Amino acid sequence: MSTAQDNSRPFGYRFAIRVLRPLLVALTRREWSGAEHLPTEGGWVVCTNHTSHVDPLVFAHFMVDHGYAPRFLGKNSVFEVPVVGAVLRSADQIPVYRETGRAVGAYRAAVEAVHAGKCVAIYPDGTLTRDPDLWPMRGKTGAARVALATRCPVVPVATWGPHEILAPYARRPRLFGRPTMHVRAGAPVDLADLYDRPVTTEVLTEATARVVAAVTALLEEVRGEQAPARRFDPRHAGVTSTGRPRSLPPDAGRERAS
């Protein structure tokens, strides 16, 4: 893996920063912490929780403010939106064709980006959390796959506040009141003992559980609350993995936290 870090900003990246950063500064307050944990050389993966469609903007704001230019894995449908898709493509972002044979392309692109010294941002939830109280769900294995293939650092980050601008699946943002956006990074997740083991379902599940647990622990600090003892699992609740979920009772779909 390259030891040089690539924080280059293609045209689309620079354009998005110029347009969006002033809006975020005007509409929100910010409480950033933990930047000392962000690697200063080589490629790496950063993982955060997902509560709102505004999350990527706030999280990118945190990263850009600290000199980083993450490459996000995002669902392909966003790349097909006029203008937005063009900006994302020119910003060197990575489309994910979920639940199709083309999904492996995102994994390969992420691995190549890490080897090129880039920071790759992956949401372990894979979609907006279905947890009724907005805690991280049982994670998907994408981040673990990239981390184990590249042996790169995996930095957990907690993001809290974007849902106050745009609640999950809401259509109208709340643009007044300047809510505080909390973003806190933690120490890289230790996966070293898994590197030399065959990449089995068990190993991927263990690596993913460690990442989600680290993100959840940071979110507990930020929220000043304790996460439920059981992690929400959409499969146990009969919830689809994409799209708007139906209303659920508070304890539906929870599994024991790893």
Side-chain angles (χ1 to χ4, degrees), residues 175-187:
L175 301 179
F176 302 99
R178 295 193 72 203
T180 299
M181 301 294 106
H182 303 267
V183 183
R184 177 174 299 183

Side-chain angles (χ1 to χ4, degrees), residues 1-210:
M1 184 170 62
S2 171
T3 57
Q5 189 165 68
D6 178 5
N7 285 314
S8 59
R9 299 177 182 180
F11 169 76
Y13 225 117
R14 299 195 305 274
F15 175 80
I17 291 172
R18 181 169 296 183
V19 171
L20 296 174
R21 190 174 182 278
L23 289 175
L24 291 170
V25 168
L27 294 174
T28 68
R29 296 181 175 87
R30 292 152 301 285
E31 187 173 287
W32 304 154
S33 60
E36 67 273 13
H37 296 298
L38 305 180
T40 57
E41 62 178 22
W44 50 291
V45 169
V46 60
C47 294
T48 189
N49 55 303
H50 202 3
T51 64
S52 167
H53 288 307
V54 176
D55 285 338
L57 301 182
V58 172
F59 177 60
H61 189 184
F62 168 80
M63 296 294 288
V64 167
D65 273 8
H66 291 98
Y68 298 88
R71 269 54 176 184
F72 283 85
L73 270 68
K75 60 183 180 180
N76 67 294
S77 59
V78 179
F79 286 74
E80 296 167 2
V81 177
V83 181
V84 173
V87 171
L88 291 174
R89 288 190 294 273
S90 65
D92 196 25
Q93 305 304 291
I94 303 172
V96 178
Y97 295 84
R98 300 188 296 197
E99 300 178 0
T100 73
R102 300 177 64 183
V104 69
Y107 162 76
R108 292 171 179 164
V111 168
E112 290 174 3
V114 170
H115 282 312
K118 298 175 182 178
C119 168
V120 175
I122 301 176
Y123 287 95
D125 284 338
T127 188
L128 294 181
T129 182
R130 271 83 165 112
D131 185 281
D133 297 315
L134 302 184
W135 292 102
M137 302 186 294
R138 180 181 189 274
K140 296 184 180 297
T141 61
R145 291 178 185 275
V146 175
L148 294 178
T150 60
R151 302 191 175 192
C152 71
V154 181
V155 176
V157 172
T159 303
W160 188 244
H163 63 288
E164 295 186 26
I165 299 175
L166 187 68
Y169 298 103
R171 296 182 179 181
R172 295 183 179 180
R174 297 191 291 267
L175 301 179
F176 302 99
R178 295 193 72 203
T180 299
M181 301 294 106
H182 303 267
V183 183
R184 177 174 299 183
V189 180
D190 186 3
L191 302 177
D193 60 306
L194 304 178
Y195 288 159
D196 294 322
R197 293 173 58 181
V199 183
T200 62
T201 298
E202 179 184 4
V203 167
L204 289 172
T205 299
E206 172 61 23
T208 301
R210 293 183 193 181

